[in-house]
Amino acid sequence: MDIHTKHLSADERRAVTVEAVVELAALQNPSEITTSAIAKHMKLTQGALFRHFPTKDAIWQAVMAWVAERLLTRIDQASAGIDSPLAAMEAMFMSHVEFVVAHPGVPRMMLSELQRAEPTPAKRMVQTLIQRYGERLHVLIEQGKACGELSATLDTEAAVTLFIGSIQGLVMQSLLAGDVHQMRHIAPRVFSIYQCGIGYRP
């Protein structure tokens, strides 16, 4: 990261810090990212870093807020204006995959937070993100059932879980393979199987 931070506002500095953490998480284990490493990546002193974030947990909370805002905005934009509930879900699915490809450090950070035993603010933010994501899917699935595009007997809660779980599975496979870009090629085939499983009626 080659960013001149001398003349940035406080909000801009915080935003740059968040982006630095996202970049670092793509390169190393998020749990091993120290404030020293963040400051070095930004070419700052730790003192300068702590002027904007009192603790490391505060940085992580800001990162998770950044993730939640951008991911939800992205999937909302992807599904906006699409009349077919299932087509809207597919647009969300592919948009989420593209988000991960663009920011491979994000799923690693989310997994790292969810594995922590203590209820940290960042962990609660991840949980809230998944809840809000699920609420969007719930609405679309119910619309699909109402218009006859999906089976009327479909278990909405299970369908929501499977949708999110399918993306999580793609993420895990890409992390194991060390190639996040492979998600682009597999995602359409995975969604095709998903739509068959939820009773798609063309």
Side-chain angles (χ1 to χ4, degrees):
M1 173 175 281
D2 185 17
I3 294 177
H4 301 289
T5 59
K6 184 176 181 180
H7 302 295
L8 296 181
S9 68
D11 285 344
E12 288 171 332
R13 286 175 184 269
R14 282 190 284 270
V16 168
T17 302
V18 166
E19 291 170 7
V21 174
V22 172
E23 290 178 8
L24 283 170
L27 303 173
Q28 66 183 94
N29 187 336
S31 64
E32 297 175 356
I33 296 175
T34 62
T35 53
S36 175
I38 297 169
K40 182 178 179 181
H41 190 67
M42 297 176 65
K43 299 178 181 177
L44 295 174
T45 65
Q46 284 194 72
L49 188 63
F50 283 122
R51 279 200 292 273
H52 302 286
F53 294 97
T55 64
K56 181 181 176 181
D57 279 345
I59 296 175
W60 250 241
Q61 185 176 359
V63 170
M64 289 302 110
W66 181 94
V67 169
E69 178 187 356
R70 278 159 180 74
L71 178 55
L72 291 176
T73 296
R74 179 179 284 239
I75 63 173
D76 285 344
Q77 290 175 342
S79 60
I82 300 177
D83 293 331
S84 162
L86 189 70
M89 291 170 65
E90 183 175 12
M92 288 173 60
F93 193 94
M94 299 309 167
S95 179
H96 190 155
V97 167
E98 286 299 325
F99 181 80
V100 173
V101 171
H103 306 289
V106 166
R108 299 178 69 181
M109 287 186 294
M110 292 178 69
L111 288 169
S112 177
E113 280 303 315
L114 290 173
Q115 290 178 59
R116 295 179 65 172
E118 66 275 22
T120 66
K123 181 177 180 178
R124 287 194 294 270
M125 196 158 290
V126 173
Q127 293 168 331
T128 299
L129 165 61
I130 294 173
Q131 177 186 347
R132 291 171 64 191
Y133 198 124
E135 289 168 354
R136 286 160 166 77
L137 290 169
H138 189 282
V139 169
L140 288 172
I141 291 168
E142 288 299 316
Q143 289 175 350
K145 290 163 69 175
C147 73
E149 195 173 60
L150 300 177
S151 170
T153 59
L154 176 64
D155 184 331
T156 300
E157 183 179 354
V160 168
T161 299
L162 183 58
F163 182 103
I164 296 173
S166 295
I167 295 175
Q168 291 172 335
L170 282 168
V171 170
M172 290 299 295
Q173 290 294 326
S174 69
L175 291 178
L176 287 170
D179 180 14
V180 73
H181 292 88
Q182 74 173 16
M183 292 178 65
R184 284 195 179 116
H185 306 293
I186 303 174
R189 289 144 55 194
V190 170
F191 190 84
S192 179
I193 294 172
Y194 172 77
Q195 73 177 16
C196 290
I198 60 176
Y200 171 48
R201 296 178 176 179

